[in-house]
Amino acid sequence: MKGFPKTLKTKADYYNCLAMVAAGELDAADLERKIESLEKQRYIQCAVVETAPEKKAVTIYYCAEAAEGMVFDADGVTGTVTAVTHIQSEKAREMEENGNDRTVLTLSKGVEAAGGVIALETAAMVAGMSASSVMAADMPEQFKDLKANEAYDFPMMVKSFQATYWDAAQEGMKKAADELGVTYKAQGPNSESDIADQINMINTAIAAKPAGLGLAACDTSSVLDALQECADKGIPVVTFDTGIADAPEGSVVCEVCTDNTQAGSVAAENMYNSIKDVIANADGQVIIGEVNQDATAQNIQQRGGGFIDKMIELIQADGKTVAVKGNEFYVNAAKGADAKEADADVVIQVAVPAQTTVELCSTEAQAILSQENCIAIFGSNQTAAEGVLAANANLNVLGSDAGAGDVIGVGFDAGSIIKAAVQDGTFIGAVTQSPLMMGYYAIYALTAAANGQELEDVPTDGYWYDSTNMDSEEIAPNLYD
């Protein structure tokens, strides 16, 4: 395929491929297949020497990389490694050899692997730490010592499988399910724009009368009828990632979400520190862009609005006027804009693509970045931020020195592409949340609700990160690939 790299080794390879998709030179499905082939390289293939009688422990040839918390796959059975012990085999002892030559893996699930192969995942979804280390954080009091009264099975409705954000959420679900002895099935549409498809999945799940339902709604207003049915049938719903402000009474028993208004304001505060001198000294009007993947999900609405409102507040505090233009929802929701577009010192231009894809977000970002007076841009989630980076692959305007004419970029969430952009200064930073912990706590909340326990909401934090703190103990566990 012309222009397609034989390998994807660097962040530039990913940027160029995204740009090719945005330009129509590369089919998105081809890129997905390439990335899927790379995923297969994430596993160490280990020959199984022996399987314990209870089938929840296997002995393999010595593997120094094996670690507690690793994900395993043994002939389609997946779970986590709960303990690792390196031993010396009887044959090695008889030959008086030094050192261990076998590794015993204790597993969360039983496997039929004798004489076969077990695959160990080498790249954890959370940078620098195993899932077990992340879960070692303080457990909310309401979940301590929790046990499932039955072997519950929960449908978990995610928004899509477009972004690695949802892979990280599933890592948390898997860990919690293994700990509690419950099961779940993650379901979602092809795109976060496919609202009707998600509604159909929710209705099908409700018809099966599950013990509980996990929900990250693509469009919060579209799920209200389904939530009322859950309330009527006594099916507890736990929302994660996205809350539902107008949920029917008694339907949502727990919300596991980031404070998205606050998270958006954190992005605005850190961006403003880099551009305030440019705004103060500008001879004419300047533009700050924002790309939101949609205007229908509450978390994106709150995050985009939080950014806009805080930016308006900061600009006005320094004596400048502001207008907001673009997507109607965000224009109408903005608080405090004090000028018409033609007269404003600063215009915040908000774009929302017709569908939730990186390539369409890139198209919107290119339209903003192509304007000579654009000084900054914010991509408010992983899809939107990767769209901004794909646009920049063609334009090459982002950087960290606003005074020298660079456009200042800020992202949201993590993923390898965004992390690379933060590391090399293409983005000055980003705000991350913890989808892993949201998935983890959502399963715990559903189990507690199915047991009949009353619950409090579980807030999760958002964090600013840049190239100086990415490896810190507070930030690194939340930077999934």
Side-chain angles (χ1 to χ4, degrees):
M1 184 183 307
K2 185 177 180 180
F4 191 82
K6 293 181 180 179
T7 59
L8 296 177
K9 293 182 178 179
T10 68
K11 56 98 179 172
D13 292 331
Y14 285 94
Y15 290 171
N16 291 336
C17 287
L18 289 171
M20 289 169 67
V21 170
E25 299 170 0
L26 171 63
D27 187 77
D30 289 340
L31 179 57
E32 288 175 5
R33 281 192 291 272
K34 181 66 177 178
I35 293 172
E36 285 173 3
S37 72
L38 293 176
E39 283 293 295
K40 296 177 182 178
Q41 300 173 22
R42 294 170 62 195
Y43 290 89
I44 304 170
Q45 304 294 326
C46 304
V48 177
V49 179
E50 183 181 2
T51 301
E54 73 280 9
K55 300 181 181 179
K56 295 187 75 173
V58 298
T59 301
I60 61 176
Y61 290 106
Y62 182 79
C63 179
E65 296 86 354
E68 179 183 344
M70 273 186 163
V71 174
F72 74 81
D73 187 317
D75 197 24
V77 177
T78 60
T80 54
V81 176
T82 59
V84 175
T85 307
H86 300 297
I87 64 172
Q88 189 177 58
S89 67
E90 184 176 345
K91 183 177 180 180
R93 287 195 298 271
E94 290 174 353
M95 297 179 66
E96 298 183 349
E97 294 181 355
N98 295 322
N100 297 318
D101 64 336
R102 298 287 189 271
T103 298
V104 179
L105 308 176
T106 305
L107 310 175
S108 62
K109 294 180 181 177
V111 298
E112 296 279 357
V117 171
I118 186 168
L120 300 179
E121 188 176 24
T122 60
M125 290 302 301
V126 180
M129 297 184 71
S130 70
S132 295
S133 334
V134 177
M135 305 315 168
D138 289 340
M139 177 74 78
E141 194 66 36
Q142 63 186 346
F143 298 148
K144 288 182 178 178
D145 301 319
L146 179 66
K147 298 181 187 297
N149 290 346
E150 301 176 25
Y152 303 122
D153 183 45
F154 301 116
M156 302 296 291
M157 300 295 164
V158 302
K159 292 183 179 180
S160 77
F161 298 102
Q162 283 178 295
T164 54
Y165 178 95
W166 297 110
D167 294 334
Q170 287 186 80
E171 286 293 307
M173 295 175 199
K174 182 185 299 181
K175 176 67 176 172
D178 288 344
E179 290 176 356
L180 294 168
V182 301
T183 56
Y184 70 93
K185 181 180 180 182
Q187 304 171 59
N190 291 330
S191 163
E192 295 187 29
S193 302
D194 296 334
I195 296 168
D197 288 349
Q198 190 188 50
I199 296 299
N200 289 335
M201 292 177 183
I202 294 169
N203 290 334
T204 299
I206 292 172
K209 299 180 180 178
L213 173 72
L215 175 61
C218 295
D219 180 349
T220 50
S221 62
S222 296
V223 299
L224 298 182
D225 288 344
L227 289 178
Q228 184 61 60
E229 186 175 356
C230 285
D232 294 341
K233 292 183 174 180
I235 300 171
V237 177
V238 171
T239 57
F240 60 101
D241 175 71
T242 302
I244 302 173
D246 300 322
E249 185 175 355
S251 59
V252 176
V253 298
C254 183
E255 180 179 291
V256 184
C257 299
T258 301
D259 182 342
N260 283 290
T261 300
Q262 180 269 346
S265 71
V266 168
E269 289 168 345
N270 283 276
M271 176 187 283
Y272 189 70
N273 287 336
S274 294
I275 61 174
K276 61 183 179 181
D277 290 343
V278 174
I279 294 174
N281 299 319
D283 293 330
Q285 186 180 88
V286 295
I287 291 173
I288 298 171
E290 177 179 76
V291 180
N292 298 316
Q293 71 166 24
D294 62 56
T296 56
Q298 181 174 287
N299 63 328
I300 302 296
Q301 292 173 346
Q302 292 174 339
R303 194 179 304 157
F307 175 88
I308 294 166
D309 293 345
K310 176 56 70 171
M311 188 60 75
I312 290 172
E313 176 189 322
L314 294 168
I315 292 168
Q316 290 177 340
D318 283 341
K320 298 292 184 176
T321 58
V322 192
V324 181
K325 75 171 186 177
N327 179 265
E328 183 178 5
F329 172 84
Y330 292 101
V331 171
N332 293 338
K335 299 174 183 176
D338 58 356
K340 294 181 179 180
E341 179 186 345
D343 304 322
D345 296 314
V346 181
V347 174
I348 300 174
Q349 182 175 342
V350 189
V352 174
Q355 288 187 309
T356 303
T357 65
V358 170
E359 51 266 36
L360 290 180
C361 284
S362 175
T363 300
E364 298 293 343
Q366 285 187 62
I368 295 172
L369 290 169
S370 296
Q371 298 170 99
E372 289 187 4
N373 57 339
C374 176
I375 63 169
I377 191 167
F378 172 49
S380 66
N381 76 332
Q382 185 176 352
T383 299
E386 289 183 0
V388 170
L389 292 170
N392 187 63
N394 289 328
L395 300 172
N396 195 28
V397 294
L398 295 180
S400 56
D401 190 348
D406 289 343
V407 177
I408 298 301
V410 170
F412 202 98
D413 290 325
S416 58
I417 294 172
I418 297 171
K419 289 194 299 181
V422 172
Q423 189 71 58
D424 69 13
T426 305
F427 276 166
I428 64 163
V431 179
T432 188
Q433 46 191 342
S434 183
L436 185 144
M437 295 309 297
M438 281 189 258
Y440 182 76
Y441 288 144
I443 293 291
Y444 264 82
L446 281 166
T447 302
N451 284 351
Q453 183 178 327
E454 291 189 6
L455 297 169
E456 297 178 355
D457 290 344
V458 182
T460 57
D461 294 325
Y463 306 88
W464 172 259
Y465 70 98
D466 54 34
S467 60
T468 67
N469 70 347
M470 292 177 70
D471 296 325
S472 70
E473 291 183 1
E474 182 183 37
I475 300 298
N478 299 298
L479 299 186
Y480 55 90
D481 286 330

